[in-house]
Amino acid sequence: MTDRLSVIFAALADPTRRAILARLAEGDATVSELAEPFSISLPAVSRHLKVLEQAGLITRSRSAQWRSSSLQAEPLREATAWMERYRRFWDDNFTRLDAHLRHIQEQEKQQ
Amino acid sequence: MTDRLSVIFAALADPTRRAILARLAEGDATVSELAEPFSISLPAVSRHLKVLEQAGLITRSRSAQWRSSSLQAEPLREATAWMERYRRFWDDNFTRLDAHLRHIQEQEKQQ
DNA sequence: CCTATGTTTAACCTATCCGTTAATTAACGA
DNA sequence: TCGTTAATTAACGGATAGGTTAAACATAGG
């Protein structure tokens, strides 16, 4: 699970972390500010932030004793780019063609 | 981790599973066919398929003793839709506006 | 009916994830 | 300098992930 895409998807697989990203979309925030809406301890949030940072989804800066987190959406672009490869499988414009190709494939499998 | 989006992202966080999806994009395949490129056991692949199925990323059909897997990209559409909310943070068209908004936000934080 | 083939389930192991509380580090400020 | 605030690190525990091998299940077919 060492590849970049896996790290990104794994980071996004936790609802708390996605909520943190949603909050950061409204502006930078400190660890305490990010922890406030959740019923989990500060160390737990601190770890989530480390996971997000390692995935490149946030950057952090220090100002006095506060550590501010800032959203970095570039990894989301990468993840989206990967998914785009499958767009034809859900996009209406391609559904008909895709069904046709699958039919062809099934026929070939018979032989 | 019971919510749908978490299950989808978790399913995508494994490189073997993503490779399986890539293979299925070229057409349906049996478990043995899917296992062939990997140096892992058949039971391991069988489990990966169960994970993908629970995420809604594949459907499966039985024909004799073969179980064929079929790609279902709808969950990818959902995941992409979630990420789209952050597009303005990476899209060039929005970068300038976004920088402006952040600047405003910083100013407000001062007071 | 018996056997071969394809796949899943069971039982197990190890590593990682996610949470906790307690201790530590860091910096401000009276 | 001492206490307060902000955050991280350490140490631990339970649950889950992902792999294994061995056993069980399902079906085609002689």
Side-chain angles (χ1 to χ4, degrees), chain B residues 26-107:
Chain B
E26 295 166 16
D28 297 356
T30 66
V31 178
S32 303
E33 285 170 346
L34 291 172
E36 193 272 324
F38 304 106
S39 58
I40 58 177
S41 65
L42 222 54
V45 173
S46 186
R47 278 227 252 264
H48 281 307
L49 292 176
K50 183 177 283 185
V51 172
L52 290 171
E53 187 175 28
Q54 283 169 349
L57 284 160
I58 64 170
T59 53
R60 318 182 71 184
S61 60
R62 173 184 293 172
S63 168
Q65 68 266 56
W66 294 276
R67 284 175 164 269
S68 183
S69 293
S70 182
L71 180 63
Q72 299 293 320
E74 164 62 19
L76 296 182
R77 196 191 57 69
E78 291 176 49
T80 299
W82 181 85
M83 295 199 196
E84 282 296 321
R85 294 164 39 193
Y86 300 92
R87 164 153 294 215
R88 65 193 169 95
F89 288 96
W90 79 72
D91 199 336
D92 279 343
N93 296 336
F94 286 92
T95 302
R96 205 175 300 268
L97 172 61
D98 188 49
H100 175 64
L101 291 176
R102 280 161 181 271
H103 182 64
I104 296 292
Q105 166 209 322
E106 282 306 312
Q107 285 184 326

Side-chain angles (χ1 to χ4, degrees), chain A residues 3-4 6-7 19-20 23-24 31 47 58 65 75 82 95 103:
Chain A
D3 66 293
R4 179 159 176 75
S6 295
V7 171
I20 287 174
R23 164 66 186 80
L24 290 176
V31 179
R47 277 199 224 216
I58 64 170
Q65 68 266 54
W82 181 84
T95 302
H103 183 62

Side-chain angles (χ1 to χ4, degrees), chain A residues 37-109:
Chain A
F38 304 106
S39 57
I40 59 176
S41 66
L42 219 56
V45 173
S46 186
R47 277 199 224 216
H48 281 309
L49 292 176
K50 183 177 281 185
V51 172
L52 290 171
E53 187 175 26
Q54 283 170 349
L57 285 160
I58 64 170
T59 54
R60 317 181 72 183
S61 61
R62 172 184 291 173
S63 168
Q65 68 266 54
W66 293 277
R67 284 173 167 269
S68 182
S69 293
S70 182
L71 181 64
Q72 299 293 321
E74 165 62 17
L76 295 182
R77 194 191 59 68
E78 291 176 50
T80 299
W82 181 84
M83 294 198 200
E84 283 295 322
R85 293 165 38 192
Y86 300 92
R87 164 152 296 214
R88 65 192 169 97
F89 289 98
W90 78 71
D91 199 336
D92 278 343
N93 297 337
F94 286 92
T95 302
R96 203 175 300 269
L97 172 61
D98 187 51
H100 174 64
L101 291 176
R102 278 161 183 270
H103 183 62
I104 296 294
Q105 167 207 327
E106 281 306 312
Q107 285 184 325
E108 284 174 350
K109 208 169 229 172

